[in-house]
Amino acid sequence: MNTEWHFPVMIFASLLVFFLVIRAVLSAHEFREKKYTVALLSVLVVIVGMLFGKYGATLGLPWWVYYPIPMLMTVLLPPFVLKLRKTKTALYLVLSFLSAPFIHIFFSFFFSWTEYMPFWKIPSAQILFS
């Protein structure tokens, strides 16, 4: 079965979750005021980060290169670029750390797609209810 199309769908889902996390952290006014910065940040953190992780692993880079670089981009760039204070940075970090498992659980459980975090086995609804 061809699963190549899963990756763009997961990127789109990750973009949506990233926007929701940033929107939860920033006030409505701040979000509107920084919408172009948020858009650029989304491209860098989500799209570039996921592409680097996927193709870094595919090209045989060591895990300590292709895994931490996107993670550090996710953790460090938004608080720095958006100039978040301590409370908002803490909220962002909690939500961002919860977002990857949430996305993985969603795709694994509802669609049996396990590529997002392949090292974490989540049973699918199809298996549980058949």
Side-chain angles (χ1 to χ4, degrees):
M1 175 153 96
N2 182 3
T3 60
E4 299 255 340
W5 61 278
H6 290 187
F7 189 63
V9 172
M10 289 181 190
I11 287 177
F12 179 76
S14 299
L15 275 170
L16 179 62
V17 170
F18 184 79
F19 273 115
L20 291 173
V21 166
I22 297 297
R23 179 58 193 94
V25 171
L26 299 177
S27 68
H29 174 73
E30 285 176 301
F31 190 80
R32 277 191 309 274
E33 191 176 87
K34 297 178 180 184
K35 64 185 172 196
Y36 297 114
T37 304
V38 170
L40 180 60
L41 201 53
S42 300
V43 168
L44 285 172
V45 169
V46 177
I47 297 174
V48 172
M50 288 182 71
L51 288 170
F52 183 83
K54 178 177 175 63
Y55 292 108
T58 303
L59 295 172
L61 292 177
W63 71 268
W64 48 268
V65 173
Y66 71 79
Y67 187 78
I69 289 176
M71 187 227 13
L72 288 171
M73 288 170 54
T74 302
V75 169
L76 299 175
L77 281 179
F80 177 74
V81 171
L82 297 172
K83 298 177 178 77
L84 300 179
R85 295 185 185 261
K86 288 180 186 177
T87 307
K88 289 186 179 195
T89 296
L91 177 61
Y92 169 76
L93 291 174
V94 168
L95 293 175
S96 68
F97 278 113
L98 292 175
S99 66
F102 171 79
I103 294 167
H104 175 67
I105 290 168
F106 177 82
F107 282 113
S108 294
F109 186 76
F110 291 108
F111 301 104
S112 299
W113 297 1
T114 58
E115 304 95 334
Y116 200 83
M117 296 173 84
F119 48 85
W120 188 21
K121 305 298 182 209
I122 303 292
S124 72
Q126 188 177 34
I127 292 171
L128 289 176
F129 300 117
S130 58

